[in-house]
Amino acid sequence: MTEHAASFLELGPRTALAAEAGTERTERWLRATLTQATGLPLAPGGADGNDVIRLSLPADAARDLGAEGYRLSVTPRGVDLAGGGPAGLFWGAQTLRQLLGPDAHRRAPLPGRRWRLPQVHVEDSPRFRWRGLLLDVARHFIPKEGILRQLDLMAAHKLNVLHLHLTDDQGWRIEIARYPELTRTGSWRARSKFGHRASPLWDERPHGGYYTQDDIREIVSHAAERHITVVPEIDVPGHSQAAVAAYPGLGNTDVVDTAALTVWDTWGISPNVLAPTDATLRFYEGVFEEVLDLFPAQAAEFSAFVHVGGDECPKDQWRRSPAAQARVRELGLADEDALQAWFIGHFDRWLAARGRRLIGWDEILEGGLAPGAAVSSWRGYAGGIAAARAGHDVVMCPEQQVYLDHRQAAGEDEPVPIGHVRTLEDVYRFEPVPPELTGDEARHVLGTQANVWTEALEDQARVDYQTHPRLAAFAEVAWSTLPPPEQRDYADFERRMADHYPRLDALGVAYRPPGGPRPWQRRPGVLGRPFDGPPPNR
């Protein structure tokens, strides 16, 4: 980027917005967002003349920058924003908004503000295609408005995949019309553990909620307007107690009184898993049929993906279940681990037959995968390395590096401290591509994702605190081609973060301040599970 420091372009009531064919989505977003923040009308205008913001999709930008790249020039004549594709144009609009200053991120104009853009030339494009954020809405429900807000925050950080963790032991969060008990029963629990599962504290209020099908359609549409793909996760065959509580026949009825189960009220891994029966398969095929309708495969690159979980499935009930053991023998399987691989493989084939792609946590590698399936590598880097070497696409989200629910500092004031310390600098030095991979293997790394699990995050303020400002560091890692971790200029990043904190303030984000939590962000006396020392890097 080049900048003429003393030169600015001032926007005013006569500034026009000229949009060429194909740029309509960014035009709508830019006019709506900047008009509410600045009060300027940004009336439609011709591309000729001065005092014009011009949006275009020229062929040379597509060739030189790729579909998500953009070129932004601010001169005395006006603003020229060219995208390599519609998504690139939108990311360029985010940069334009940033250059206008933090008040451009507000929802109403403040009196007396001048709107000046530095005269700059920017050419930019992302390193990774998948720049993701996982939100766990199963443990603590995030209402629809909160999801729409998170999508806006993702867009401001140029992230393009929202992985929505919709089901777990503690709650089922998506309406399935043919199975109404999934939300009638499965979306509410009687109480919640407060803090880590070893905590003696309880929140005795019922907790729950779910998204109607129209809510989901709105979320998907809101995301698409911002060039974000929503990837749904329906967790099978473990992490399924909420589903079994709603429909007891889904569980291992020959070894457990599944009719007595309720939606789980604590954290961890429930022993109550799905039964590996044909009836269970048919039930979840019905679930996935509605999920595919709500999350259609569109032009967006990753919209064909459906996440099936596949992680942390205890096998004790299967070992004790005569029905499960009969299935092992019937299929000629070696053991219960192979039975889980068969279960996942069924949905791998079922989704592929409908033009979709299965993605799951790295446990799904155990037992083999179909060629089109992809892996979310969470148990460190090893799963991603194994998947890439086997020819599977990978999203790197190693727990000890980019689980943002983990604590940000070692101080006693950190609220509900979980895991190893992962500071802002630690996240900035995260490298998604393992050095062990060859060039051909590394091409299977679709990108990277930060995960926000909500066992200890009971509301939006706690999600904000854990996610920000580390999401800014993660976003830079996901977007920019940076030097090796030890060579990255963290001092320069800190300098630029001084400009970013006011943007977060304007957006109403309850982030962790650089000096530590504010008094109301602390949770004194609420037990966490901190680990000392540096985290494993493998």
Side-chain angles (χ1 to χ4, degrees):
M1 179 175 75
T2 58
E3 177 177 335
H4 308 286
S7 302
F8 291 89
L9 172 71
E10 187 152 349
L11 306 185
R14 298 190 179 207
T15 302
L17 181 59
E20 293 186 0
T23 69
E24 293 83 5
R25 188 178 292 181
T26 293
E27 178 193 15
R28 283 194 301 272
W29 179 87
L30 191 61
R31 178 174 287 112
T33 303
L34 292 191
T35 295
Q36 75 172 1
T38 66
L40 302 177
L42 298 179
D48 297 330
N50 297 332
D51 205 11
V52 178
I53 300 172
R54 290 168 283 268
L55 308 180
S56 63
L57 295 171
D60 69 314
R63 181 185 64 246
D64 297 341
L65 298 170
E68 288 196 280
Y70 65 91
R71 185 168 59 236
L72 172 64
S73 295
V74 182
T75 69
R77 180 172 174 266
V79 178
D80 288 286
L81 177 55
L89 188 74
F90 181 74
W91 305 131
Q94 296 293 336
T95 297
L96 175 64
R97 184 192 191 192
Q98 290 175 350
L99 291 172
L100 278 170
D103 288 337
H105 295 74
R106 296 187 181 276
R107 295 190 181 185
L110 301 181
R113 295 298 190 269
R114 296 174 65 186
W115 300 104
R116 303 197 306 170
L117 286 167
Q119 293 188 30
V120 296
H121 179 78
V122 179
E123 290 193 7
D124 203 8
S125 56
R127 178 186 180 191
F128 290 110
R129 293 144 54 201
W130 184 302
R131 304 180 303 281
L133 176 70
L134 176 142
L135 282 177
D136 167 19
V137 298
R139 273 53 174 266
H140 278 103
F141 180 61
I142 299 175
K144 181 197 69 177
E145 286 301 317
I147 299 299
L148 301 180
R149 173 181 179 268
Q150 290 295 338
L151 287 166
D152 291 342
L153 291 173
M154 288 178 64
H157 290 82
K158 299 187 177 74
L159 301 178
N160 69 341
V161 178
L162 173 62
H163 174 173
L164 207 52
H165 183 78
L166 289 162
T167 72
D168 215 292
D169 299 310
Q170 296 85 3
W172 184 283
R173 306 294 180 212
I174 180 172
E175 178 187 23
I176 302 298
R178 72 189 71 183
Y179 303 130
E181 288 301 322
L182 286 172
T183 47
R184 187 179 295 141
T185 297
S187 70
W188 287 90
R189 60 178 181 262
R191 62 177 186 169
S192 304
K193 179 69 73 170
F194 193 26
H196 184 259
R197 62 180 175 271
S199 168
L201 303 177
W202 292 90
D203 182 343
E204 295 292 348
R205 298 172 297 175
H207 178 85
Y210 67 92
Y211 309 110
T212 68
Q213 295 203 350
D214 281 344
D215 289 340
I216 292 291
R217 293 184 181 100
E218 181 181 355
I219 288 167
V220 170
S221 177
H222 192 83
E225 282 290 304
R226 288 147 183 78
H227 296 276
I228 297 171
T229 299
V230 184
V231 174
E233 180 180 354
I234 306 295
D235 215 335
V236 296
H239 286 293
S240 298
Q241 183 165 325
V244 176
Y247 289 93
L250 295 173
N252 296 282
T253 57
D254 52 352
V255 293
V256 177
D257 180 10
T258 56
L261 294 177
T262 59
V263 178
W264 216 26
D265 59 9
T266 190
W267 316 127
I269 305 169
S270 169
N272 295 297
V273 303
L274 298 176
T277 64
D278 290 338
T280 300
L281 298 181
R282 300 294 88 77
F283 182 97
Y284 273 87
E285 286 171 2
V287 170
F288 282 119
E289 282 177 5
E290 296 193 26
V291 168
L292 297 192
D293 179 63
L294 294 169
F295 298 88
Q298 300 170 327
E301 181 177 11
F302 301 117
S303 61
F305 279 102
V306 175
H307 208 290
V308 301
D311 61 316
E312 298 178 326
C313 179
K315 309 299 192 300
D316 181 63
Q317 289 183 0
W318 288 356
R319 294 186 185 97
R320 294 188 290 116
S321 164
Q325 291 303 309
R327 175 122 290 188
V328 169
R329 293 190 296 273
E330 170 198 338
L331 296 170
L333 301 176
D335 54 22
E336 293 76 23
D337 290 335
L339 185 60
Q340 177 173 338
W342 165 82
F343 195 106
I344 295 296
H346 173 85
F347 288 104
D348 191 350
R349 295 184 294 274
W350 188 91
L351 289 167
R354 289 153 181 82
R356 307 302 283 267
R357 291 187 66 185
L358 180 146
I359 183 169
W361 303 110
D362 52 58
E363 286 96 328
I364 69 172
L365 284 166
E366 299 159 6
L369 276 179
V375 170
S376 302
S377 183
W378 76 276
R379 294 181 298 178
Y381 289 93
I385 293 169
R389 286 176 173 169
H392 295 288
D393 288 338
V394 179
V395 175
M396 295 301 303
C397 47
E399 174 185 10
Q400 308 301 351
Q401 315 302 320
V402 287
Y403 271 33
L404 299 186
D405 50 301
H406 288 196
R407 60 188 176 140
Q408 303 185 63
E412 293 183 2
D413 285 340
E414 282 304 304
V416 199
I418 302 295
H420 293 277
V421 171
R422 290 286 84 191
T423 65
L424 183 66
E425 181 174 359
D426 291 330
V427 176
Y428 184 67
R429 297 191 188 279
F430 164 60
E431 172 50 49
V433 178
E436 297 94 324
L437 296 180
T438 67
D440 287 341
E441 292 166 348
R443 277 188 275 276
H444 283 290
V445 178
L446 298 175
T448 184
Q449 177 173 291
N451 293 349
V452 180
W453 301 100
T454 61
E455 290 96 330
L457 312 183
E458 72 275 11
D459 56 28
Q460 177 177 289
R462 285 286 292 123
V463 171
D464 277 4
Y465 179 90
Q466 293 299 135
T467 305
H468 301 275
R470 291 184 295 180
L471 192 68
F474 173 80
E476 183 151 327
V477 168
W479 179 276
S480 301
T481 301
L482 299 174
E486 66 279 1
Q487 297 176 23
R488 294 177 188 171
D489 189 347
Y490 181 67
D492 178 67
F493 177 75
E494 278 191 305
R495 177 185 61 79
R496 289 181 286 111
M497 280 301 298
D499 294 326
H500 191 58
Y501 289 117
R503 295 189 196 110
L504 296 178
D505 288 329
L507 289 163
V509 177
Y511 59 88
R512 181 189 188 276
R518 296 180 172 95
W520 56 87
Q521 292 174 321
R522 300 167 186 160
R523 296 292 186 274
V526 181
L527 186 68
R529 191 190 184 195
F531 295 129
D532 294 328
N537 188 23
R538 61 179 185 273

